[in-house]
Amino acid sequence: MSTTTISASAPAAPRIDYLFVGAAVFATAILIALVLLDGQPASAALILGGFGLGVAFLKAEFSYTASWRRFLTRGEAGGLIGGLLVIAICALAVVPIAALLPNFGGAIAPIGPSLLIGAAVFGVGMQLANGCGSGTLYTVGGGSGRMLITLAFFIIGSVFGSLSLPSFLALGGVNPILAADYLGPWGGLLATLASLALVAAIMAAVARQRGANWRPSRTYIIGGIVIGVLCVGVFLVGGHPWSVTFGYTVWGGKIFSALGFDFSQAEFWQWPGPKRALTDSVLTDTSSLTDFGMIFGAMAAAAATKRYAATAWPPFKSLLAAAIGGLLCGWGARIGFGCNIGAFVGGVASGSLHGWIWFGAALCGNLVGIRLRPLFGLSRD
């Protein structure tokens, strides 16, 4: 008879928090049932796409905020280049399809003070909050109490941003510049991919000059591919690139309205899209559907590997940074036409010049945010 011995040093099996795994799956199933009963199969697909994104982001620990900070402080470019891989995969579908098919559109925005100021403010906020739009969602889903504070103030900041946006647009700017408008759908795609390759090469050169790593980890590559494919799926189902922060604005508008605030004189909320989103069910807003799915996907993934939400609350100064960072992110995202996902990933993947300009301005804001982090007990590195 043979016997099997287990080494005392062998890693313990993952601890599954069945309660929260079940809650996440059950909540997702309820949302899907509601939209299916309302005759919205595409909405069900968006919820599932968001669920997959939540799992992918959490399992790959795919963090734009940490990647940008590592690049700016250490010169490590692997995380940023992994993020560019996501954009390249998205661009393969978004640029040509948005140019050729009438029911699809890209993430486009004018170029002017609103874009520059909003992106820079968002960049400051993401380093204080320790998360961007997508990062806030998957870490909240993953059980972070601190990021609940960030999300709450992100939503508040988004509402303030919606009230400010018309004034900033009045400052002027130039109309959106799309590669496909000048080079056609396939030429625009080639130009977009070439710009991504050029920026990746520059990042790698900076990393090598600083003696830092420039290669994305295997986990980041796999995560980037999965996230990119899911982003394409969201685009094909929703008709436009994945967006995160408009959902926050809708949630905030509905909450403020329920508290008695009147948006009838607010210009932003009289525009057709926001006005419809404010009056219709939240389950008709594509951004909200993927946001909900992402939270529950991250919850299921986190609870499947450990006891859910078991970490202690951080000190007061860290929570204060989360609140201030959330406000800045919310306001900046609305003024700057989105976050890392809606403005940067979606913009560049659409072949829109504003995506790269947003990136440059947000990178400058990140530098400021990194310098402010020690004031709140957060490490610069």
CSV table of all heavy atoms in Angstrom, one decimal, residues 44 67 153 311 314 327:
chain,number,residue,atom,x,y,z
A,44,ALA,N,-27.9,42.2,-21.7
A,44,ALA,CA,-27.5,41.0,-21.0
A,44,ALA,C,-26.0,40.7,-21.4
A,44,ALA,O,-25.2,40.4,-20.5
A,44,ALA,CB,-28.4,39.8,-21.3
A,67,SER,N,0.8,51.2,-12.8
A,67,SER,CA,1.7,51.1,-14.0
A,67,SER,C,2.3,52.5,-14.3
A,67,SER,O,3.5,52.7,-14.6
A,67,SER,CB,1.0,50.6,-15.2
A,67,SER,OG,0.6,49.2,-15.0
A,153,PHE,N,-17.1,59.5,-3.8
A,153,PHE,CA,-16.7,60.8,-4.2
A,153,PHE,C,-16.5,61.0,-5.7
A,153,PHE,O,-16.6,62.1,-6.2
A,153,PHE,CB,-15.5,61.3,-3.4
A,153,PHE,CG,-15.8,61.6,-1.9
A,153,PHE,CD1,-15.9,60.7,-0.9
A,153,PHE,CD2,-16.1,62.9,-1.6
A,153,PHE,CE1,-16.2,61.0,0.4
A,153,PHE,CE2,-16.5,63.3,-0.3
A,153,PHE,CZ,-16.5,62.4,0.7
A,311,THR,N,-9.4,42.8,4.8
A,311,THR,CA,-8.4,43.7,5.1
A,311,THR,C,-8.9,44.8,6.0
A,311,THR,O,-10.1,45.2,5.9
A,311,THR,CB,-7.8,44.3,3.9
A,311,THR,OG1,-8.8,45.0,3.1
A,311,THR,CG2,-7.1,43.3,3.0
A,314,PRO,N,-7.8,51.5,6.2
A,314,PRO,CA,-6.5,52.3,6.3
A,314,PRO,C,-6.7,53.5,7.2
A,314,PRO,O,-7.8,53.8,7.6
A,314,PRO,CB,-6.3,52.7,4.8
A,314,PRO,CG,-7.7,52.8,4.2
A,314,PRO,CD,-8.4,51.7,4.9
A,327,LEU,N,-13.0,62.9,-5.9
A,327,LEU,CA,-13.6,64.1,-6.4
A,327,LEU,C,-12.9,64.6,-7.6
A,327,LEU,O,-13.6,65.0,-8.6
A,327,LEU,CB,-13.6,65.2,-5.3
A,327,LEU,CG,-14.7,65.2,-4.2
A,327,LEU,CD1,-14.4,66.2,-3.2
A,327,LEU,CD2,-16.1,65.4,-4.8
